[in-house]
Amino acid sequence: DVVMTQTPVSLSVAIGQPASISCKSSQSLVGTSGKTYLNWLLQRPGQSPKRLIYLVSKLDSGIPDRFSGSGSETDFTLKISRVEADDLGVYYCLQGTHFPLTFGSGTKLEIK
Amino acid sequence: QVNLLQSGAALVKPGASVKLSCKASGYTFTDYYIHWVKQSHGKSLEWIGYINPNSGYTNYNEKFKSKATLTVDKSTNTAYMELSRLTSEDSATYYCTRSPDYWGQGVMVTVSS
């Protein structure tokens, strides 16, 4: 199975400051189609996960452009340019290239 | 709008089975796979498998092949997951998700005598 290693485990960020989360996969996530099926999800406290980004860098509908995704092959990053109070929760990366699909262990974002 | 409505919380005895439902609305049910995901308390997420509602084709995580059975009822736009021979390790919140952009609210399954 593809192992998704997320860092840091947690981070505390002041409102208006940037945040960055890393996700590294144990093998390349480039599929046979040439697409890279790397997603970022946010699970707010007491809620279901919500997808923010798919195919490495494409924002889901309604997701503010403060969020951005980048990376390739095995190394990916989620960045929040200016953290807002609503951004708190646990962020997960999810790879959909190889079966079984696998998630990162999560990064808990707290507001300082 | 897209909505996935899951059945209510379940308390089941060890060794029993439980069938969870996920009713889809707001889109064409047969156009998207339905995935199921397990989240043990306070922990990360595990992919159980998916079903193609159009063909009924399933793809399971090997870890859950003898545990979970995925089915659909196209007439009611509902996906089901049956979990069998339950143990305390199966106590968790289970989510259905559409491919995986939209998620159900989750259902907590507690296995206890």
Side-chain angles (χ1 to χ4, degrees):
Chain A
D1 298 1
V2 176
V3 176
M4 304 295 286
T5 303
Q6 259 185 262
T7 54
V9 172
S10 65
L11 71 166
S12 183
V13 181
I15 299 291
Q17 294 302 301
S20 180
I21 299 170
S22 169
C23 180
K24 295 184 190 298
S25 57
S26 60
Q27 58 184 274
S28 173
L29 298 186
V30 180
T32 53
S33 63
K35 294 183 178 180
T36 302
Y37 295 93
L38 188 282
N39 306 272
W40 288 98
L41 312 172
L42 166 59
Q43 186 172 31
R44 296 187 174 95
Q47 295 187 19
S48 307
K50 176 187 173 72
R51 196 178 70 178
L52 306 174
I53 288 173
Y54 62 101
L55 292 175
V56 180
S57 60
K58 297 185 181 300
L59 263 60
D60 272 286
S61 175
I63 302 304
D65 60 7
R66 301 182 291 103
F67 290 90
S68 64
S70 63
S72 62
E73 299 282 350
T74 62
D75 207 334
F76 304 93
T77 302
L78 172 70
K79 290 184 178 177
I80 309 173
S81 59
R82 297 173 308 281
V83 167
E84 296 187 0
D86 195 42
D87 298 340
L88 75 90
V90 181
Y91 290 79
Y92 296 97
C93 55
L94 160 64
Q95 69 81 18
T97 301
H98 304 285
F99 289 108
L101 307 191
T102 47
F103 295 83
S105 52
T107 295
K108 186 174 185 178
L109 175 64
E110 298 173 327
I111 304 300
K112 196 182 289 184
Chain B
Q1 70 280 18
V2 175
N3 192 40
L4 298 173
L5 183 62
Q6 297 188 239
S7 46
L11 172 61
V12 291
K13 295 192 184 315
S17 298
V18 67
K19 193 169 187 177
L20 310 180
S21 66
C22 172
K23 184 171 176 59
S25 60
Y27 71 99
T28 302
F29 182 58
T30 50
D31 282 354
Y32 293 85
Y33 296 174
I34 293 288
H35 298 248
W36 290 84
V37 173
K38 176 183 181 182
Q39 186 169 38
S40 300
H41 182 65
K43 297 191 176 175
S44 186
L45 303 154
E46 290 183 280
W47 180 75
I48 296 170
Y50 77 76
I51 184 165
N52 178 339
N54 191 41
S55 65
Y57 174 81
T58 53
N59 187 336
Y60 293 94
N61 185 336
E62 277 294 325
K63 179 179 178 180
F64 293 97
K65 257 189 174 173
S66 59
K67 173 63 63 179
T69 303
L70 306 183
T71 56
V72 295
D73 180 346
K74 288 192 283 187
S75 69
T76 59
N77 290 352
T78 303
Y80 297 94
M81 178 173 69
E82 183 167 19
L83 300 170
S84 61
R85 297 180 300 280
L86 291 164
T87 72
S88 60
E89 294 295 307
D90 299 314
S91 294
T93 296
Y94 293 88
Y95 295 98
C96 62
T97 169
R98 189 191 84 161
S99 286
D101 50 359
Y102 289 90
W103 292 63
Q105 82 276 23
V107 57
M108 186 178 295
V109 173
T110 303
V111 182
S112 174
S113 54

